[in-house]
Amino acid sequence: CASLGRIAETLVETYLGRDAGRSVLGGHIARGVAERIEAVLWYSDLRSYTRISDTMPPEQIIPFLNDYADAIISAIHEAGGDVLKLVGDGTLAIFKAGDVATAGRCALRAETLARSNIAAINLRRADEGLPVTAAYLGLHVGEVFYGNIGSRDRLDFTVVGPAVNEVSRIADLCRSTERDTLVSAAFREALHDLDRANLVSVGRYALRGVSRSQDLYTIEREG
């Protein structure tokens, strides 16, 4: 029984995420039951994924995705975040440890770790003559509903709310603004002063499908 319990715990945490997996194992499985929380939201995807996947041999696509997913997910986990969903080359995660300022600091640490991981993978893949890429990232903070959503036959433990749509739109704008990372004004305001030091304004932008435009910031790298 103990062995089966450990297997079940490993399976649900692998497929649902660590926090969501623990919630499901704890019996929080009723459809429509969701907790209202304020969290830092992470949405990232891969630069030029469609073009790269169209030109590489089909058998290389899954190893390609696995390499970069490992770089991003391991960084999120190391910094204390929870990955909720993988959508093709996209990753949705949340940070909710402690207060929002602490969660924001954790997200920034994950961003730094992910960039470092991706740089290491790119060196290895380039040496092997394989395609390389980078990640676009949007960071936002807002109130979301966190829980079970779906039909009677198929549930998803995830987050929903306007802030989730907004963070994906912020990540989309990385392409047109030619930035690797964009964060919202709400994210910046939630941080302690020291953590805002490297955030610089890139202007005010309309987000697709969102009624009001937002001030966005990027990370100014040292050197």
Side-chain angles (χ1 to χ4, degrees):
C1 288
S3 178
L4 287 174
R6 286 192 296 271
I7 291 170
E9 184 176 356
T10 299
L11 282 173
V12 296
E13 289 187 7
T14 299
Y15 282 93
L16 300 179
R18 296 183 301 185
D19 190 68
R22 286 191 291 268
S23 295
V24 169
L25 285 175
H28 302 287
I29 57 174
R31 183 169 66 131
V33 175
E35 177 187 5
R36 185 182 299 209
I37 63 171
E38 187 172 33
V40 168
L41 303 168
W42 165 301
Y43 189 85
S44 62
D45 60 12
L46 300 179
R47 183 193 296 267
S48 304
Y49 170 69
T50 301
R51 177 185 59 79
I52 292 170
S53 63
D54 282 345
T55 56
M56 73 167 61
E59 65 273 11
Q60 291 185 12
I61 294 176
I62 290 179
F64 172 87
L65 286 172
N66 285 343
D67 278 347
Y68 291 99
D70 188 55
I72 292 167
I73 293 170
S74 62
I76 293 169
H77 284 171
E78 185 174 340
D82 287 296
V83 174
L84 298 181
K85 194 179 295 294
L86 303 175
V87 185
D89 63 316
T91 302
L92 174 65
I94 61 172
F95 295 80
K96 58 188 185 72
D99 56 71
V100 178
T102 302
R105 178 182 296 172
C106 290
L108 290 175
R109 179 167 178 261
E111 194 269 354
T112 300
L113 290 170
R115 300 288 175 206
S116 177
N117 291 346
I118 289 171
I121 285 173
N122 283 347
L123 285 174
R124 174 180 62 78
R125 289 181 62 89
D127 286 343
E128 296 171 0
L130 297 172
V132 301
T133 188
Y136 291 127
L137 169 63
L139 292 173
H140 189 31
V141 62
E143 190 174 77
V144 294
F145 288 98
Y146 181 47
N148 290 292
I149 298 155
S151 72
R152 285 186 291 269
D153 299 323
R154 178 65 171 87
L155 292 174
D156 192 13
F157 205 102
T158 188
V159 288
V160 296
V164 181
N165 298 328
E166 290 169 8
V167 73
S168 68
R169 301 298 185 255
I170 291 168
D172 286 344
L173 279 172
C174 287
R175 295 166 178 79
S176 58
T177 59
E178 298 182 344
R179 307 286 181 172
D180 288 334
T181 300
L182 289 175
V183 310
S184 67
F187 177 87
R188 180 181 178 275
E189 288 303 312
L191 298 173
H192 295 304
D193 289 343
L194 186 62
D195 295 323
R196 299 175 189 167
N198 292 335
L199 296 181
V200 296
S201 175
V202 296
R204 191 171 182 85
Y205 288 85
L207 305 182
R208 180 168 55 88
V210 178
S211 60
R212 60 185 180 87
S213 58
Q214 293 196 19
D215 292 315
L216 299 179
Y217 299 80
T218 192
I219 299 174
E220 188 176 62
R221 313 284 177 185
E222 291 185 7

